[in-house]
Amino acid sequence: MEDLVDTIVRQCINLFHGIQRDIGLILYSDRVQVHIQGADEETPSYNTSGVSTTPSELETKVLNVIDEVYDPAKVPGCDLTEHVLNSGDHYPSSFASDVAAVGALDRWVTREMTADFGRLMQYAGRNIEFENSERDAVWCGTESRPCVDCTAGILGSTPNSRCSDRVMSTRLSTGIRYLQKMVRDKWAGVKLKVLEAWDEPYEGHENGDNAIDSLHYEGRAIKVTTSDDDATKLSNVASLAICSGIDFVEHKGDHLYMAVKKQDWRERRMVHFPTADLLVAETPAEDEEQYTLPDSYSHDEKSTMHIFDSDHKEERKLSNNGKIKHFKSPSSRYFRLSPSLVECYQAIITRENKARQETDPFIGLTVERGYLTNTDQEVILDTDPRYNRHVTGRAMQIHYNNTYGDLDTTVYTPMRLAKRAVHKCGPNFASKQFSIAVGLYDTSVYIEMRSTFDAWVESEDLLPPGKTEAEFKAEMEKWLQRSVEGRVIDPDNPERACRTSVQPERQSCDFKHVHPEPVRRRRSTGNDPDSCQPQTDTIFCKSTQKHRDTEVDKILWEQITAKHLGCGEDDIKEALEICFGTCGTCQTGNVWWDKQEHCNNLLHWLPFDFYDIEDQVAFYVRENKDLKQAACNGHCIDKAPLFSLVAPTVERLYRPDPKRSVQEPLYSATNNPLPVYDLMNRLYAMHARGKVRVYVKDSAELSTLRGSLQMSMIFNKDVSEVDFYVQFPENVEQVTSTLENLLLEWTKTSCPDHAREYVPPFTIQELPPGHTKRSPEFALREEMLDKQKNWEKNWLKSHTLL
């Protein structure tokens, strides 16, 4: 039965003390009766029946178990040399005082303040020595209440029987538990000695022992020494106190003064903000109606809307540009605030200043309203969609900061800010299982974390002519979807993205190829010795000169001039000669870059187009003939007049030895690479309109189509949707992953001046059955083309003797 007593005490004692009641025990031979003492019973009760153990022995056992309960099983490992305090020193030294470090006294807590006093803990263990200097006074607290002697142990746990020197906040009690253990471990036979903890008036000291604004009156301060009064130990005790989690420690010479921050009395909880961690606090019970959350929120929802103490912390940064004072009511010490709201605030500022140059004005945000108490929010009508929202710490009303009048208000408008908020905050909120609410007002924007999306305008006069509030809401919801899906073009470094980007264009006589900045830089500095070194005087180049001339003069030019040339004839001829007539190795260097420039000009200037291809464009890897019929069922590049003109030359074979039948490519990737197909596919993609289809076998084929996809999904503003069809179902996942990686790269590196605002919606699905089955006509046509290209190889195969 004594083991059962041990278990009961360990499990119940803190629960009973937490409600300011004492334990009652009756030990029988076959059972133990446990009960909570009544509110008017100011001491514990210990009785026995039918056993040899006396009530006094039972009490002793219970007190021994309580001592063990108050002894932590493990203490922090401490380096006594890390923080050494000598007389007059304090920690943290960066704060001038205890108040600066932990916050000022809010108000005195008295025994009559039932809820607030009940949140303070009474230290019940005997492993600390308590001076209890008030024990001989006639009255404590009020003249009708006698003082108690608690030097040997607690009298009881009810408000009247509590001993002031043993009463302290939960946070202070936790630190002291660790500290007393470390002191006893370090010096055998020596205990921590408490000189004063919570303070109250008593006989001869009508205002208590401390200054009227002392933290002792809230139970957040304590004075300690050692039981042997050896002042030489205090430096080490101070180091141990810091290690045990005490927030402020000061060496007073003959004792240590310590103080802690306000903390939720139930448990220690830290909330992480971008650049700081805040300790969850509590408000005085008598002020709770100011901070009570609306009944529309569930208990679980309310438990995540934490309260913080701003005293002496208003200048603390919660993000690079956001301070506590920005997000709270100036009339209230306490506030609620979601880290996601701070992240939202910072994300908008960071985005607006991405491309900022040193001489540009900084684009900041002003929070007109952040957290509001219930009284503060009375300025908001209960019919307003913002009513009962600011009290949660999940809402703010913001506008662009134009204090110095240096912002262009025609650019930095509330509409722009609303869109920025949805883009930068929506995905963040979604990752926390919230949506966003955004309200457009005359000079500001309202932002809130909500369970469902919402958007509204103060007046439709704030919208473009003819646009309604419903249309505004629909537009914001679409923008949210694009943002959450990562489809918004938003480069990490806009200046760099635009410096290295060139605006893609459709066919036009006004087109003029411009190399991106990295190529221009490399052309000015010469070939990189670590790169492929272009060669133009190879045997291959010399021996194929006449073949290239024939392609340029006799084949291509004759076909080109057969049509009306809308662009300059001399310019086209020069571009043709350098594109197809030049020979050189390597897909880098001046020869290659010259080919890119003139081939691109040629393709843009030629009077051969792509037809009207709305909702018809399809891409596939031309080597995959199984997908060709599906892709070209509508319109693929193979059907374009421009392709029909240049493809035979690009794929031209020639005979190195006219006396032999062996043929080799005239424009091989090794001997004389040609950028025509890549440039033409990109140009074809820029001419697409409406829906685009993409057919691939796997992620490798998707990567082969990289240039076409980038044009279609990043630069072509006329593409409304892209549907991907994967030939084999087992490859759908890898294709999806590869595409997501490409889009992540492009949305973070593309120039906003050249690109779409967002990636068009897309789908990825398995190719429906039967789409790769060739029709007889298609099969016959492909067979004829194959024979034309590979006649020699087929002839050799048919003559086995050769």
Side-chain angles (χ1 to χ4, degrees):
M1 287 300 105
E2 291 190 359
D3 290 341
L4 181 56
V5 170
D6 185 293
T7 301
I8 290 171
V9 174
R10 291 181 187 278
Q11 295 297 319
C12 301
I13 197 67
N14 282 331
L15 296 175
F16 292 2
H17 289 174
I19 60 173
Q20 301 181 83
R21 296 291 185 87
D22 288 301
I23 193 169
L25 286 174
I26 303 176
L27 177 61
Y28 296 95
S29 60
D30 60 348
R31 66 188 186 279
V32 177
Q33 178 179 309
V34 58
H35 62 270
I36 301 174
Q37 292 285 85
D40 56 345
E41 297 174 299
E42 296 189 349
T43 61
S45 171
Y46 304 103
N47 290 292
T48 61
S49 177
V51 294
S52 59
T53 303
T54 66
S56 178
E57 290 171 335
L58 178 59
E59 179 180 9
T60 299
K61 177 175 178 57
V62 171
L63 293 178
N64 289 337
V65 174
I66 291 175
D67 288 341
E68 293 175 12
V69 170
Y70 276 77
D71 235 12
K74 186 177 180 180
V75 296
C78 298
D79 180 0
L80 297 183
T81 64
E82 185 176 0
H83 301 290
V84 178
L85 299 187
N86 296 314
S87 181
D89 294 340
H90 70 266
Y91 168 87
S93 58
S94 56
F95 292 99
S97 66
D98 57 339
V99 169
V102 303
L105 172 76
D106 190 328
R107 66 198 66 188
W108 282 29
V109 175
T110 67
R111 296 177 191 268
E112 289 67 41
M113 298 166 67
T114 306
D116 287 317
F117 188 65
R119 293 171 178 176
L120 300 179
M121 307 292 292
Q122 179 178 227
Y123 194 97
R126 297 173 299 173
N127 39 33
I128 294 178
E129 188 175 303
F130 290 87
E131 187 173 66
N132 192 206
S133 59
E134 299 93 341
R135 64 183 181 276
D136 294 327
V138 173
W139 59 269
C140 285
T142 63
E143 293 184 2
S144 61
R145 182 189 170 278
C147 299
V148 300
D149 184 356
C150 62
T151 51
I154 65 170
L155 175 65
S157 299
T158 61
N160 279 334
S161 60
R162 281 178 156 194
C163 174
S164 63
D165 280 350
R166 287 179 175 266
V167 173
M168 61 193 77
S169 71
T170 303
R171 185 173 180 82
L172 185 54
S173 174
T174 301
I176 291 301
R177 285 179 63 192
Y178 286 126
L179 180 57
Q180 64 81 20
K181 173 68 171 172
M182 290 188 280
V183 167
R184 288 191 295 113
D185 288 348
K186 183 167 182 60
W187 296 290
V190 177
K191 291 182 178 182
L192 185 70
K193 182 179 181 180
V194 172
L195 305 177
E196 181 134 62
W198 174 71
D199 196 15
E200 66 179 338
Y202 64 99
E203 181 194 17
H205 297 79
E206 283 70 17
N207 291 318
D209 289 323
N210 298 279
I212 194 169
D213 57 354
S214 170
L215 296 173
H216 284 285
Y217 296 110
E218 258 184 337
R220 292 199 289 129
I222 195 169
K223 297 171 186 174
V224 303
T225 183
T226 54
S227 58
D228 60 359
D229 292 319
D230 182 357
T232 63
K233 292 185 173 73
L234 292 181
S235 287
N236 280 335
V237 175
S239 297
L240 295 174
I242 295 168
C243 182
S244 68
I246 304 295
D247 299 307
F248 181 84
V249 181
E250 184 174 8
H251 194 316
K252 292 286 193 177
D254 60 346
H255 71 277
L256 298 178
Y257 168 79
M258 301 185 293
V260 296
K261 300 172 184 176
K262 272 184 167 287
Q263 176 189 306
D264 186 329
W265 68 277
R266 289 171 288 265
E267 61 178 326
R268 178 185 182 274
R269 286 176 290 176
M270 299 296 293
V271 177
H272 306 293
F273 288 82
T275 60
D277 293 339
L278 295 187
L279 180 66
V280 177
E282 63 189 2
T283 64
E286 64 183 53
D287 291 346
E288 281 188 347
E289 64 179 30
Q290 285 289 331
Y291 304 95
T292 300
L293 290 163
D295 293 336
S296 56
Y297 294 101
S298 69
H299 173 75
D300 288 343
E301 287 178 307
K302 292 178 181 180
S303 68
T304 64
M305 300 176 187
H306 304 299
I307 280 279
F308 305 104
D309 181 11
S310 72
D311 191 72
H312 282 78
K313 302 184 188 74
E314 293 208 347
E315 292 296 326
R316 179 173 296 181
K317 281 191 171 184
L318 299 179
S319 68
N320 290 340
N321 301 104
K323 298 179 180 180
I324 286 178
K325 67 179 182 181
H326 295 152
F327 301 98
K328 60 173 287 293
S329 166
S331 66
S332 171
R333 170 172 177 165
Y334 305 96
F335 66 101
R336 299 183 193 276
L337 182 61
S338 168
S340 294
L341 202 66
V342 178
E343 292 165 1
C344 166
Y345 170 89
Q346 186 60 52
I348 297 173
I349 293 178
T350 300
R351 175 60 186 85
E352 291 291 20
N353 289 279
K354 270 186 180 182
R356 177 175 172 263
Q357 302 298 309
E358 188 174 346
T359 56
D360 294 338
F362 180 80
I363 303 166
L365 295 176
T366 296
V367 182
E368 294 181 5
R369 287 185 186 140
Y371 172 76
L372 300 177
T373 65
N374 287 321
T375 298
D376 291 333
Q377 78 148 357
E378 289 176 0
V379 297
I380 302 174
L381 299 176
D382 59 7
T383 55
D384 192 305
R386 298 167 295 177
Y387 181 73
N388 265 349
R389 302 295 184 169
H390 284 282
V391 298
T392 66
R394 294 176 176 172
M396 61 183 175
Q397 189 100 15
I398 60 176
H399 66 258
Y400 286 116
N401 186 345
N402 195 24
T403 304
Y404 303 105
D406 49 5
L407 281 188
D408 185 346
T409 55
T410 63
V411 174
Y412 294 96
T413 62
M415 178 64 82
R416 174 191 176 107
L417 184 54
K419 201 169 182 179
R420 280 280 186 257
V422 171
H423 171 213
K424 302 308 298 183
C425 308
N428 182 314
F429 294 174
S431 70
K432 312 296 192 305
Q433 284 72 57
F434 286 93
S435 190
I436 188 172
V438 57
L440 181 66
Y441 292 80
D442 184 30
T443 59
S444 63
V445 172
Y446 173 84
I447 303 168
E448 183 198 341
M449 301 170 63
R450 282 196 186 179
S451 57
T452 56
F453 171 80
D454 198 7
W456 63 88
V457 294
E458 182 181 27
S459 167
E460 289 191 348
D461 292 340
L462 300 175
L463 299 174
K467 194 168 188 177
T468 65
E469 183 178 53
E471 290 171 330
F472 168 77
K473 181 176 180 179
E475 180 184 335
M476 290 296 104
E477 190 163 21
K478 286 181 180 178
W479 193 245
L480 174 63
Q481 181 181 359
R482 296 162 189 156
S483 301
V484 171
E485 293 173 353
R487 294 195 286 118
V488 176
I489 309 298
D490 186 22
D492 293 330
N493 188 324
E495 187 277 330
R496 181 190 301 160
C498 292
R499 178 163 39 86
T500 58
S501 175
V502 175
Q503 174 72 66
E505 297 179 33
R506 292 174 176 169
Q507 285 182 309
S508 167
C509 292
D510 296 327
F511 177 81
K512 186 69 175 176
H513 177 87
V514 177
H515 287 297
E517 190 270 342
V519 172
R520 297 197 301 271
R521 185 174 64 251
R522 287 186 61 186
R523 295 198 78 163
S524 66
T525 58
N527 288 327
D528 183 354
D530 295 327
S531 300
C532 177
Q533 301 301 308
Q535 301 294 325
T536 59
D537 57 352
T538 63
I539 295 175
F540 177 87
C541 287
K542 293 177 181 177
S543 65
T544 57
Q545 179 67 58
K546 62 179 181 179
H547 298 283
R548 297 194 307 275
D549 291 344
T550 298
E551 291 297 325
V552 171
D553 295 328
K554 300 297 185 182
I555 300 178
L556 288 173
W557 186 243
E558 287 183 2
Q559 294 184 67
I560 291 170
T561 54
K563 296 189 69 172
H564 173 70
L565 297 180
C567 305
E569 181 174 325
D570 291 342
D571 290 336
I572 294 177
K573 184 64 181 295
E574 179 186 12
L576 174 65
E577 290 174 345
I578 296 178
C579 175
F580 285 96
T582 301
C583 180
T585 60
C586 300
Q587 295 185 34
T588 186
N590 288 328
V591 176
W592 174 255
W593 294 325
D594 283 342
K595 284 185 181 181
Q596 283 187 320
E597 177 182 349
H598 289 86
C599 289
N600 206 17
N601 285 338
L602 178 67
L603 296 173
H604 279 78
W605 296 340
L606 285 174
F608 294 79
D609 58 18
F610 296 102
Y611 292 140
D612 183 3
I613 46 179
E614 184 171 2
D615 292 331
Q616 294 291 313
V617 166
F619 295 100
Y620 76 105
V621 175
R622 295 188 68 245
E623 287 75 12
N624 189 338
K625 294 183 179 180
D626 289 336
L627 290 178
K628 182 175 181 179
Q629 181 172 359
C632 296
N633 186 46
H635 193 286
C636 63
I637 195 168
D638 305 55
K639 296 183 177 181
L642 183 61
F643 178 86
S644 299
L645 171 71
V646 302
T649 294
V650 174
E651 299 177 4
R652 184 74 66 202
L653 301 177
Y654 81 104
R655 293 182 181 182
D657 184 348
K659 297 179 181 180
R660 302 185 64 185
S661 60
V662 177
Q663 293 182 309
E664 293 182 2
L666 185 58
Y667 298 98
S668 70
T670 302
N671 295 318
N672 188 19
L674 199 61
V676 169
Y677 270 167
D678 178 61
L679 293 171
M680 186 165 51
N681 275 294
R682 290 171 179 263
L683 182 58
Y684 177 61
M686 285 302 297
H687 279 265
R689 290 187 292 119
K691 182 183 292 188
V692 168
R693 294 170 294 122
V694 181
Y695 296 83
V696 294
K697 177 178 69 176
D698 52 25
S699 59
E701 286 197 354
L702 187 79
S703 298
T704 300
L705 297 174
R706 176 188 178 103
S708 302
L709 297 179
Q710 187 177 22
M711 295 301 110
S712 301
M713 304 185 79
I714 302 298
F715 293 105
N716 188 339
K717 299 178 182 180
D718 289 332
V719 171
S720 60
E721 181 182 346
V722 181
D723 293 330
F724 290 83
Y725 296 94
V726 184
Q727 187 173 0
F728 302 112
E730 62 269 21
N731 292 338
V732 170
E733 185 175 345
Q734 62 166 258
V735 167
T736 301
S737 177
T738 300
L739 180 61
E740 288 175 347
N741 288 335
L742 286 174
L743 293 178
L744 178 62
E745 174 191 340
W746 293 335
T747 56
K748 297 300 181 185
T749 59
S750 298
C751 174
D753 296 342
H754 301 159
R756 307 164 53 104
E757 276 194 306
Y758 56 88
V759 174
F762 60 90
T763 63
I764 304 175
Q765 55 195 296
E766 177 190 351
L767 183 67
H771 278 236
T772 57
K773 184 177 180 180
R774 303 185 185 187
S775 67
E777 296 82 2
F778 180 86
L780 179 61
R781 184 169 61 251
E782 289 300 301
E783 183 180 351
M784 292 173 63
L785 288 172
D786 182 70
K787 285 181 178 180
Q788 180 182 353
K789 293 179 181 178
N790 300 288
W791 68 269
E792 181 180 22
K793 184 189 299 182
N794 295 332
W795 182 81
L796 288 171
K797 286 181 179 179
S798 66
H799 292 72
T800 55
L801 294 179
L802 298 176

